[in-house]
Amino acid sequence: MNPGRGRPTRLVRVGRRRISQLLPDRADLAALRRAPRKDLFAGLTVAVAALPLSIGFGVASGLGARAGLVTAVVAGCLAAVFGGARLQITGPSGVLAVVLAPIVEAHGTQGVLTTGLLTGLLLLGLSLGRASRYMRCVPTPVVKGFILGAAVVIIAQQVPPALGRHVPHGEAVAASALGALRAFCSGPNWPALCITVGTLAVCLWGARLRPSFPFPLLAVAVATAVAEVARLPLARIGHLPTSLPAPSPGFLVPGEVLALLPTAVTVAVLVALESLMTAAAADALSGRERHDGQRVLFGQGLANLAVPFFGGVAATGTVCRTAINVRSGAVSQLAALTNAAVVALVVLVAAPLVSAVPLAALAGVLIATAIRMIDVAALRALGRVGRGQAAIAALTGALTLTVDLVTAVLTGTALAVVLALRTVTATARVDQVWVPVQRAPHSGTGPAPAAPDAQIAVHRFAGPLLFTTADRVLRPVFPARGRAVVLDLERVTGLDTTAILTLADVIDHHLRRGAVVHLSGVSDPHRAHLDALGVLAKLPPGALCTTVAEAVAHARAQLHPVTPAAQEGPSSHPQV
């Protein structure tokens, strides 16, 4: 057999195995039949909220309402079938719209479609490279803070329509909410506020009374009927396109693609991070699901790869629509498929009817969803664990509201790492024991039995010796006296470069003053690092011992050679 042909065959087998792990399996098909009624109701409820959001984000991206609806349908279907989060809803988002809008001005529609195509390819690469495993390192307080921040963002976004005010796309969320409040105080729109409060009350009351019943749909239908009969002056969803999908106008030529690559990388990172965070949030909200991050990225990659061919924009998992889906009782990806089908059906069949839905009624549905997203019990539990954990959640939520998702997650994770490092390094310590050269070992609880020059100083280190602990733990060893020094690393759990170099300084110091130095309890990984940085080369022959007792025995033999009869005494095997 030609060995040159065997290698590609193995690579093909590995590739096929990885791809097969990303495709839907029997468990996904079984989940579709688990509770179809709940999924259908949840999909209908999500579709009511997804219509105006998809239209608005499509307009904000610069490609128009049709592009937003196409994205909700095509990307929603593909991500539902191939994604690894059964309860996640995929579609256009406000974060991506902000990034894509400048591309329309610089490169036109073809630039946005090309960016989406590149984003899909990058996401597929991240999935095959199993980049999602790094998202498992995101701490729980960061996820809880993200959910809290997302809930506040949703509420703030719905303040203007709840008060009967129009806000241009792209305006800061907090600023638009405050502006709407000031405008309402000067000229109140009571019909809009009453519709929002009534819808909100029905949604919250209905969720407690009978969670399986689609009260949000009922509330929206009643609010629409009341607004039509009473001819209330309320903002509506408005005109919808009456055909889907739109054909793609084409893509940029290869020579112009390189200019869009940095933007495509940014969009891919945003999609990956937001989709994985939304999947984690869906797991936390449902309490029963566990997403597959690798398949989440694969589904998002296929969705973004296909959408540009239909004239759509880049898509991602959306926390608002996903939260509505979870809180409406969804149990499988059938709800997401229902949502996409309803959006397409509404556009094709019932566009005039849906265009009459008041935005104030949708605001009530979204505010109710946001309120139910906030897990007060979990936040209280974080507060009981410690102020640090609560601070991480609060900071992540505040940055999600005021800055953006990426900054919030990275900052919250960095703070969590600092607190975790502080907790771990607090366990590092050094225990000092004085062992007489010729007598039984001293326990260290009473006065030293002899002068330092007649003793062996045993320093037993424990815990992680890192850059954060090297100075505190190792520096006190410098002034230690004694004719011999034993440095025991048996209980050391971690050793970095800073600690190793500081340990080398300690050894140099005691060797220069003429003391006998021994190193004991060095594990194989630590031995390799010590050897690489030249620490072991500083030690004389025989100075590297397995145990403290062996090191003490060697030190005694060097300092005070004893006769064979003396070796049989009780002090020949020190217990340090």
Side-chain angles (χ1 to χ4, degrees):
M1 178 179 176
N2 189 347
R5 295 181 180 178
R7 189 175 300 114
T9 303
R10 287 194 296 271
L11 293 176
V12 169
R13 285 200 298 267
V14 172
R16 287 177 178 174
R17 185 169 63 252
R18 287 197 176 185
I19 293 176
S20 65
Q21 293 173 349
L22 300 174
L23 298 177
D25 53 20
R26 293 182 178 179
D28 295 317
L29 297 177
L32 296 176
R33 300 189 296 268
R34 191 183 305 167
R37 182 178 176 183
K38 290 183 177 180
D39 286 328
L40 292 174
F41 282 154
L44 285 170
T45 304
V46 175
V48 172
L51 273 168
L53 293 175
S54 300
I55 294 171
F57 294 145
V59 173
S61 68
L63 264 63
R66 185 191 300 271
L69 293 172
V70 166
T71 304
V73 174
V74 178
C77 284
L78 289 175
V81 173
F82 295 98
R86 293 175 179 172
L87 305 183
Q88 188 176 66
I89 303 296
T90 296
S93 76
V95 176
L96 297 183
V98 173
V99 178
L100 296 175
I103 300 178
V104 178
E105 299 179 3
H107 301 279
T109 300
Q110 294 179 338
V112 175
L113 300 181
T114 304
T115 300
L117 195 66
L118 293 174
T119 298
L121 293 173
L122 291 171
L123 288 170
L124 290 178
L126 291 175
S127 174
L128 295 175
R130 301 185 177 182
S132 63
R133 56 189 170 184
Y134 299 107
M135 280 299 299
R136 298 173 187 171
C137 300
V138 176
T140 297
V142 175
V143 177
K144 296 297 184 182
F146 163 68
I147 296 175
L148 175 64
V152 177
V153 168
I154 294 171
I155 294 173
Q157 286 175 337
Q158 301 311 310
V159 169
L163 302 178
R165 303 294 170 181
H166 173 71
V167 178
H169 291 289
E171 186 171 337
V173 174
S176 65
L178 292 175
L181 285 172
R182 287 194 295 265
F184 183 83
C185 292
S186 60
N189 187 333
W190 295 112
L193 181 60
C194 291
I195 289 290
T196 300
V197 172
T199 306
L200 174 63
V202 170
C203 292
L204 294 178
W205 174 77
R208 287 178 175 271
L209 180 66
R210 191 175 178 184
S212 61
F213 188 81
F215 280 98
L217 284 176
L218 176 63
V220 170
V222 172
T224 303
V226 170
E228 287 293 307
V229 172
R231 298 179 180 239
L232 299 177
L234 299 173
R236 314 298 174 98
I237 289 180
H239 176 70
L240 296 178
T242 56
S243 64
L244 286 176
S248 171
F251 304 95
L252 294 179
V253 297
E256 299 174 310
V257 170
L258 292 178
L260 292 175
L261 190 57
T263 304
V265 171
T266 301
V267 174
V269 171
L270 286 171
V271 171
L273 188 57
E274 188 166 2
S275 296
L276 291 171
M277 288 296 295
T278 300
D283 294 346
L285 291 172
S286 67
R288 63 179 183 273
E289 290 291 330
R290 183 167 178 81
H291 71 278
D292 184 338
Q294 188 180 351
R295 287 185 58 191
V296 168
L297 294 182
F298 183 72
Q300 296 296 328
L302 288 180
N304 281 279
L305 194 63
V307 160
F309 291 97
F310 298 96
V313 297
T316 182
T318 57
V319 64
C320 174
R321 280 155 274 182
T322 299
I324 295 175
N325 191 42
V326 175
R327 291 308 188 194
S328 298
V331 296
S332 75
Q333 56 269 48
L334 179 60
L337 294 172
T338 301
N339 162 64
V342 170
V343 171
L345 185 64
V346 165
V347 171
L348 297 174
V349 177
L353 182 62
V354 175
S355 63
V357 174
L359 294 181
L362 293 177
V365 174
L366 295 177
I367 292 174
T369 301
I371 292 174
R372 297 176 63 200
M373 285 172 59
I374 301 174
D375 191 346
V376 178
L379 295 176
R380 288 177 177 172
L382 290 177
R384 289 193 296 269
V385 170
R387 289 180 296 179
Q389 302 299 310
I392 293 172
L395 178 63
T396 305
L399 291 177
T400 301
L401 172 64
T402 57
V403 188
D404 56 60
L405 170 65
V406 176
T407 303
V409 172
L410 294 180
T411 305
T413 303
L415 180 58
V417 169
V418 171
L419 292 179
L421 188 61
R422 179 183 177 185
T423 301
V424 170
T425 55
T427 62
R429 70 181 191 277
V430 57
D431 299 324
Q432 180 174 292
V433 179
W434 290 99
V435 179
V437 173
Q438 291 181 287
R439 292 185 296 168
H442 183 60
S443 64
T445 58
D453 289 340
Q455 298 178 68
I456 301 172
V458 179
H459 302 280
R460 307 198 67 176
F461 302 102
L465 296 185
L466 309 175
F467 66 96
T468 55
T469 60
D471 187 74
R472 175 173 63 85
V473 177
L474 291 171
R475 289 296 176 186
V477 182
F478 275 96
R481 302 291 299 278
R483 297 177 62 190
V485 175
V486 176
L487 304 173
D488 181 55
L489 306 182
E490 184 178 1
R491 294 180 293 174
V492 171
T493 57
L495 199 61
D496 70 356
T497 302
T498 302
I500 292 174
L501 295 179
T502 306
L503 187 64
D505 293 339
V506 171
I507 294 173
D508 284 337
H509 169 75
H510 289 292
L511 289 176
R512 283 196 302 269
R513 71 178 183 84
V516 174
V517 179
H518 285 76
L519 204 61
S520 67
V522 180
S523 64
D524 290 338
H526 294 164
R527 186 193 299 264
H529 296 156
L530 292 169
D531 190 32
L533 292 176
V535 176
L536 300 184
K538 299 177 181 293
L539 298 173
L544 186 62
C545 302
T546 304
T547 64
V548 175
E550 181 184 345
V552 170
H554 284 193
R556 282 177 172 162
Q558 288 183 258
L559 295 173
H560 187 73
V562 295
T563 63
Q567 292 180 356
E568 297 177 2
S571 62
S572 61
H573 300 286
Q575 301 296 320
V576 181

